[in-house]
Amino acid sequence: MAFSGSPAESTASPSDPVSVEYQHGVAFITCNRSLETADFVNLQRLVETLIARNWCLIVVDLKTLRFIDSTAAKVLTDLAERAERAGGGLRVLNPQHTVTLFLRNNGFLDKLPCAEDRHIALRELTASRLQNEDSNQAQNHGAASQETQLRNLLEKNAFVLATLAETLHSRGVLRDEDIATLFGPSVNPHGGSAE
């Protein structure tokens, strides 16, 4: 398995089953020959390493792959899901007709996005990433907005409670000890803070 720690470099060796090329923020993985089961384990490790290094936009070129089994297809769909959860995505590029048929007939094709060429894959992944970022920003804004609303509500309720306690204290319903129990010893029941 060829992998370089520097995303600026491309890795390729004819003896490696897969190689990686970095381009426009996307890791393009090329299968250099038909992959055996052990090669898919290496591919899985490679993609997991890329995701761990925040290279979550990944294209896997399968043009040399003439056959795929359900184990390998499951590995690819799992990797696509992991990349998506990490805020990116994975696209399969150039699957041969027999591979596409297998993926379609066994229900993998709907879980494994395919692209016709690098440009389409790059465009889809970039759009997906931007959509994820927009969604995350909206969620963060929504959470901040909810936090602000909750803080305002608590402040209003605290004011209402303090006013009610002051009124009940002035009418003799609450004693100084009751106020201290409700609000803590630092609150002066006669207005203001005891400190």
Side-chain angles (χ1 to χ4, degrees), residues 76-146:
L76 286 173
T77 56
D78 288 348
L79 293 174
E81 289 172 7
R82 288 182 195 166
E84 183 101 9
R85 282 195 307 267
L90 182 143
R91 295 294 183 273
V92 170
L93 191 62
N94 299 320
Q96 291 195 11
H97 183 69
T98 54
V99 172
T100 303
L101 282 176
F102 177 86
L103 294 172
R104 181 181 300 124
N105 293 340
N106 291 286
F108 290 106
L109 201 56
D110 56 338
K111 301 174 193 171
L112 192 61
C114 296
E116 293 177 20
D117 64 38
R118 282 182 171 225
H119 300 290
I120 292 172
L122 181 62
R123 186 173 53 236
E124 287 176 357
L125 288 171
T126 303
S128 174
R129 180 94 185 234
L130 291 174
Q131 185 178 9
N132 287 341
E133 287 174 1
D134 288 347
S135 175
N136 289 341
Q137 286 177 352
Q139 287 176 352
N140 291 341
H141 178 69
S145 176
Q146 287 177 344

Side-chain angles (χ1 to χ4, degrees), residues 135-156:
S135 175
N136 289 341
Q137 286 177 352
Q139 287 176 352
N140 291 341
H141 178 69
S145 176
Q146 287 177 344
E147 184 178 326
T148 301
Q149 289 174 353
L150 182 58
R151 185 176 291 120
N152 291 340
L153 183 62
L154 289 173
E155 287 174 2
K156 287 178 186 175

Side-chain angles (χ1 to χ4, degrees), residues 22-122:
Y22 302 93
Q23 194 178 64
H24 306 291
V26 177
F28 289 93
I29 300 172
T30 301
C31 298
N32 297 323
R33 58 179 166 81
S34 234
L35 300 180
E36 306 295 327
T37 303
D39 296 326
F40 272 99
V41 171
N42 290 335
L43 177 64
Q44 181 177 5
R45 286 188 194 128
L46 172 62
V47 172
E48 288 171 349
T49 301
L50 288 168
I51 292 170
R53 293 182 181 182
N54 291 323
W55 279 86
C56 303
L57 302 178
I58 301 164
V59 175
V60 180
D61 190 339
L62 298 179
K63 69 182 162 205
T64 61
L65 196 65
R66 292 187 183 99
F67 170 79
I68 190 169
D69 64 10
S70 59
T71 302
K74 178 75 171 124
V75 166
L76 286 173
T77 56
D78 288 348
L79 293 174
E81 289 172 7
R82 288 182 195 166
E84 183 101 9
R85 282 195 307 267
L90 182 143
R91 295 294 183 273
V92 170
L93 191 62
N94 299 320
Q96 291 195 11
H97 183 69
T98 54
V99 172
T100 303
L101 282 176
F102 177 86
L103 294 172
R104 181 181 300 124
N105 293 340
N106 291 286
F108 290 106
L109 201 56
D110 56 338
K111 301 174 193 171
L112 192 61
C114 296
E116 293 177 20
D117 64 38
R118 282 182 171 225
H119 300 290
I120 292 172
L122 181 62

